Amino acid sequence: MEGVYVTIGLEVHCQLLTQAKMFCRCSTDYIGKTPNTLVCPVCMGLPGALPVLNRKALELAIKTALALRCEILPEVVFHRKNYFYPDLPKGYQISQYDFPIGVRGVLEFALEGERRKVRIRRVHVEEDAGKLVHEGLGVERNVSGVDFNRAGIPLVEIVTEPDLHSPEEAKECLIMLRSIVRYLGVSDGNMEEGSLRCDANVSVSLSPDTQGAKVEIKNMNSFRSVFRALSYEVERQAALLREGKFPVQETRHWDEVRQVTVPSRGKEEAEDYRYFPDPDLLPFRIPQDMLEEIKATIPELPLQKKERFMREYELAEPEAHILVQDKDLAEFFEACVREFPAPRTVCNFVLTEVLKNLNAFNMTIRESKVTPGMLAELLRMVERKEIGISLAKGIFEEMFATGMSAREVMAKKGISFLTSERDLEKIVRQVIEENPQSVADYLGGKDKALHFLIGQVMKVTKGQANPEVVKNLLLRELTSGE
Amino acid sequence: MPGHVSLEEVRKIAQLAKLSFSEEELTRFFQDISDIIAHFEKLNELDLEDVSPTSHISWSQPPMNPDEPVDWQGSDLVLKHAPCAAGRYFIVPKVVEKEEKLS
Ligand SMILES: [Zn+2]
């Protein structure tokens, strides 16, 4: 929008991919589990229970901070964030305050092929709260139910500086962030299931020199709703400003049904969490060797991979961009190129046929039964003109559904891998030349001779040719030779 | 401000802790807290110019858990002893805000 200056900052929570909770050893595998079964005295806040840090949670948080190019603070200090809410059993959340894991990082992403940057203010680790249930409790209506299965699952919180200037940028930045946590294996980054949650601060001004009021938006449960909520909010604030009014500094919720943001109900008291260092968890220094070990596990990240793909495989930016969003897909592509070194052909097939089939079955490439080797074999057959590209697409669909190789699919479907007429013609002519007697018999009216000739062709092709096709070719050759 | 607490602050802390007191009690707590703070003020008489703030004296690595889940069998008992439970849920007065509070 002309003359509208937008400033957006994101606050993202990701559930860390640990097996056990952050300060106890309850399982984190909570989705679909019976309520309050993955609990213990620690995560239910029973008196006298003491937290013990899960080493893996710390490692994953450090890994995230390192990948976002943060300075890692040498000391790990946990604070209690005090507030009362029924999903918070202890009356405080164990979090981090003035000593987060990492500070001053950078996240790079691309918008329409152009490199953008957002500064990362901080990366810290904290525990998740329980879940409130309002319906289906089978009791009176004016109560809520609490399930602590999720309470105590480790989260990493990533806070950006307000460096984003449009809803498009914010969305791309968030997609890149999800891509990075997935690359790192620190979180599955699933917004719909709540393992990645995003809040945003938006302020709008009609002049580049003034700052608008900071409005916090919550309850955005998909990338699309992040984009829509921010777009709505920018419009809303700009409209107010144009009327000479000023937006209020407040927290608003995205209403997915009505597609609007609404002011949050509930107390608007200034937040006062009375943070203090948790006396149950002693501060400690991160050992240097632990830091080195974690550093060594950080893989090539999406943006670097994209640029390498463009350089090494001469892919165009939009294609490379899509390929690298999913690390497994990028690896599948590379593995396939190693066996069939025609990157652009592989890329095209992956971005069209592979993605189409994955979407149709709602599957990830990791779940697919087609290996890179199997796709390479199929593409090689196309290259050798054994099959046409449209046939290849159909064969791939079958490979995808059944896990069979291209040749197995063809054998099953009775498609000759020698359907390339030229290859088959050669064999047919050769058989005709080698069997003048049978040819003469056939031309003399002995139909049985034709079956003999078909058999000969099948023998040469080791049974891989389609007998129908062979018969037709033989007939054509025999009659044209007349 | 060191060594000082106002009656208003005591009132606010009580509110944050979801505790309600009579005016009389508030005045008493105000006096108690003021005395406690005054007592700690004595520490300010020490010359700590060259000492960096420390929240704990030990910097050794604390014990940490391996990332391996372990079942706990006591959840039925906790639910049984809860002031109010229905099925597998702990029951609390209706939470007004529909949205979940996050961090
Ligand atoms: Zn637990």
Side-chain angles (χ1 to χ4, degrees):
Chain A
M1 259 182 292
E2 273 306 292
V4 175
Y5 300 88
V6 180
T7 309
I8 299 172
L10 301 179
E11 202 182 293
V12 178
H13 288 88
C14 300
Q15 269 177 2
L16 293 174
L17 280 175
T18 57
Q19 303 289 309
K21 291 186 181 179
M22 187 166 165
F23 295 112
C24 61
R25 292 181 64 179
C26 294
S27 166
T28 54
D29 189 14
Y30 72 101
I31 291 180
K33 293 288 152 68
T34 308
N36 294 305
T37 48
L38 309 177
V39 291
C40 75
V42 174
C43 58
M44 283 196 294
L46 299 189
L50 284 173
V52 177
L53 178 63
N54 179 340
R55 186 188 171 93
K56 178 86 183 226
L58 176 68
E59 288 171 354
L60 295 182
I62 293 173
K63 192 171 176 182
T64 310
L66 282 171
L68 294 171
R69 286 147 62 183
C70 285
E71 267 171 53
I72 304 299
L73 297 189
E75 290 141 25
V76 177
V77 185
F78 290 105
H79 274 68
R80 290 185 179 182
K81 179 178 179 179
N82 300 278
Y83 64 91
F84 291 108
Y85 208 73
D87 63 9
L88 193 70
K90 298 189 289 295
Y92 60 85
Q93 176 192 32
I94 304 177
S95 182
Q96 293 193 290
Y97 186 53
D98 49 2
F99 272 89
I101 295 289
V103 293
R104 289 182 286 274
V106 180
L107 170 64
E108 284 186 285
F109 61 100
L111 182 67
E112 281 154 13
E114 213 179 286
R115 231 176 215 263
R116 302 283 169 102
K117 234 181 222 183
V118 60
R119 288 169 300 154
I120 300 294
R121 183 180 297 167
R122 57 186 279 143
V123 172
H124 79 243
V125 63
E126 62 186 24
E127 55 177 352
D128 207 345
K131 249 188 153 131
L132 290 167
V133 177
H134 306 282
E135 275 136 44
L137 293 166
V139 281
E140 1 151 19
R141 290 185 131 201
N142 55 341
V143 296
S144 298
V146 193
D147 172 12
F148 291 122
N149 281 352
R150 200 181 68 180
I153 289 182
L155 300 173
V156 68
E157 178 177 323
I158 300 153
V159 183
T160 78
E161 295 290 347
D163 291 345
L164 301 160
H165 299 292
S166 68
E168 288 84 357
E169 265 196 356
K171 186 183 163 200
E172 283 306 323
C173 169
L174 189 59
I175 289 175
M176 181 56 91
L177 194 54
R178 175 183 65 171
S179 202
I180 288 174
V181 296
R182 286 182 171 174
Y183 266 58
L184 296 173
V186 303
S187 176
D188 64 20
N190 192 326
M191 272 195 103
E192 281 74 14
E193 281 177 9
S195 56
L196 187 152
R197 302 165 219 163
C198 175
D199 298 334
N201 289 307
V202 193
S203 64
V204 175
S205 152
L206 298 181
S207 138
D209 309 318
T210 56
Q211 265 281 1
K214 203 168 93 176
V215 176
E216 195 179 2
I217 316 287
K218 290 181 176 263
N219 197 39
M220 300 173 289
N221 297 322
S222 65
F223 289 98
R224 187 192 291 172
S225 57
V226 167
F227 178 73
R228 289 191 176 163
L230 292 176
S231 305
Y232 174 87
E233 193 53 28
V234 168
E235 275 294 343
R236 188 188 69 86
Q237 293 185 32
L240 280 174
L241 290 166
R242 287 198 198 96
E243 288 171 29
K245 296 177 191 157
F246 290 96
V248 195
Q249 178 160 341
E250 62 180 347
T251 300
R252 297 176 71 89
H253 274 75
W254 174 241
D255 184 332
E256 189 70 57
V257 179
R258 289 159 55 215
Q259 300 276 304
V260 293
T261 64
V262 289
S264 295
R265 284 172 291 167
K267 45 186 194 314
E268 272 304 311
E269 289 165 37
E271 293 177 339
D272 189 345
Y273 295 119
R274 299 277 152 163
Y275 281 97
F276 66 87
D278 191 326
D280 289 342
L281 291 155
L282 307 185
F284 63 94
R285 287 186 204 283
I286 301 173
Q288 194 55 38
D289 55 343
M290 182 178 183
L291 217 52
E292 294 306 324
E293 267 168 43
I294 297 170
K295 245 180 220 165
T297 65
I298 294 178
E300 181 184 41
L301 294 173
L303 200 66
Q304 285 72 50
K305 200 184 277 295
K306 181 184 88 175
E307 284 167 2
R308 182 169 63 78
F309 277 14
M310 290 166 66
R311 209 172 49 237
E312 224 167 87
Y313 301 124
E314 296 177 341
L315 300 183
E317 198 276 342
E319 280 81 37
H321 181 75
I322 303 171
L323 264 188
V324 304
Q325 265 180 24
D326 178 351
K327 185 183 173 210
D328 294 334
L329 192 69
E331 280 170 3
F332 182 91
F333 161 79
E334 281 209 281
C336 193
V337 169
R338 271 194 292 276
E339 298 196 32
F340 182 72
R344 274 192 248 180
T345 310
V346 176
C347 175
N348 281 341
F349 203 90
V350 168
L351 293 187
T352 53
E353 299 314 305
V354 177
L355 283 185
K356 192 176 86 190
N357 282 281
L358 287 174
N359 290 338
F361 288 84
N362 196 19
M363 267 164 57
T364 65
I365 189 74
R366 201 177 273 252
E367 293 163 323
S368 141
K369 296 184 201 119
V370 178
T371 63
M374 285 158 71
L375 177 59
E377 184 191 24
L378 180 71
L379 293 175
R380 217 174 289 126
M381 286 158 76
V382 176
E383 188 195 42
R384 290 190 196 134
K385 302 208 162 37
E386 289 172 24
I387 52 174
I389 188 69
S390 56
L391 182 58
K393 287 176 184 179
I395 291 170
F396 183 75
E397 234 167 73
E398 194 65 21
M399 290 164 67
F400 198 86
T402 61
M404 290 194 289
S405 73
R407 288 188 198 283
E408 281 166 344
V409 170
M410 290 166 74
K412 184 187 147 208
K413 295 259 158 183
I415 311 164
S416 165
F417 77 101
L418 289 172
T419 39
S420 154
E421 309 245 312
R422 232 182 303 151
D423 285 352
L424 207 49
E425 264 171 25
K426 231 165 63 192
I427 295 168
V428 165
R429 278 197 214 106
Q430 183 194 332
V431 167
I432 289 174
E433 265 169 44
E434 286 168 4
N435 298 280
Q437 188 52 53
S438 300
V439 173
D441 286 352
Y442 172 74
L443 292 175
K446 285 188 184 167
D447 282 354
K448 260 180 143 180
L450 183 62
H451 293 286
F452 174 80
L453 290 170
I454 293 171
Q456 291 305 301
V457 176
M458 295 308 283
K459 208 168 121 189
V460 176
T461 62
K462 297 186 179 70
Q464 302 240 27
N466 181 338
E468 256 326 284
V469 177
V470 174
K471 185 180 165 193
N472 291 336
L473 274 176
L474 273 169
L475 288 174
R476 205 176 72 196
E477 287 298 313
L478 290 168
T479 45
S480 72
E482 268 183 326
Chain B
M1 208 188 301
H4 185 78
V5 64
S6 72
L7 188 59
E8 263 329 290
E9 275 176 279
V10 176
R11 210 186 295 278
K12 193 187 167 204
I13 292 162
Q15 201 189 356
L16 284 171
K18 294 235 181 350
L19 296 170
S20 44
F21 296 117
S22 66
E23 280 307 304
E24 201 182 301
E25 285 171 314
L26 275 175
T27 319
R28 205 176 78 219
F29 284 129
F30 167 60
Q31 193 52 55
D32 287 352
I33 292 171
S34 298
D35 289 350
I36 292 164
I37 290 175
H39 188 71
F40 273 88
E41 271 307 292
K42 274 198 168 26
L43 292 175
N44 278 346
E45 291 166 18
L46 292 170
D47 178 14
L48 299 173
E49 197 60 17
D50 301 324
V51 184
S52 63
T54 312
S55 49
H56 201 273
I57 47 161
S58 155
W59 289 102
S60 64
Q61 271 240 47
M64 289 192 223
N65 274 340
D67 187 31
E68 294 150 14
V70 174
D71 273 351
W72 186 68
Q73 300 299 337
S75 63
D76 291 346
L77 207 60
V78 179
L79 279 161
K80 207 178 117 197
H81 286 276
C84 190
R88 295 293 310 179
Y89 287 102
F90 294 100
I91 297 298
V92 296
K94 181 102 186 164
V95 179
V96 192
E97 292 165 89
K98 261 212 109 150
E99 64 279 355
E100 266 178 71
K101 173 129 186 152
L102 210 201
S103 72

